[in-house]
Amino acid sequence: MPMLANVMNLYLRLLWLWLTARRRPPCALLGPCITSLRVWPNDLDLYRHVNNGRYFTLLDLGRTDLMLRSGLASRIKAAGWFPVATMATMQFRHALTVFQRFEIHTRVLGWDDKSIFLEQRVVRQGESVAVAAIRVRFLRQTGGSVATSELMALAGHDAPSPPLSDWLSHWATPPQD
């Protein structure tokens, strides 16, 4: 039963984002997009703070909110595409505990031919609690991946990528055997 409560909590949050997206301010395609949430008891681990794995799940909601409020979600759905996180790293700075309000600040750092790179910050009372770098690719429901140029064209964005930092470029490069 606790597993069902965890899943339902996330679906309820997703439903809330979807239902309220039009009433909240739109977000620019590259962000920032601020998603306000609260810590619920089933977000906690045995030590009564948000579980490190739960942070990544909450960040999914922030990315979804960016796509909804920028207008990209309906376009990618119509195209038969969907996003997948292919790499993620996070630095934790402070704990979140039950019933605390927090925000997820999502912004696009840049892109290459295949992937979009995002920064997502978990912020409580103006202070970063955790910071993540996420690499996302878009896939076709019929199989195969979507080139970033195709995604940006669908979004109506024709500007080049902001330059990726050396750290981010190195992080995203697969290791050589």
Side-chain angles (χ1 to χ4, degrees), residues 67 71-83 138 141 151 154:
M67 289 190 300
L72 184 61
S74 58
R75 293 176 187 175
I76 65 168
K77 182 180 178 189
W81 304 345
F82 60 96
F138 284 77
Q141 291 177 348
L151 174 68
L154 180 76

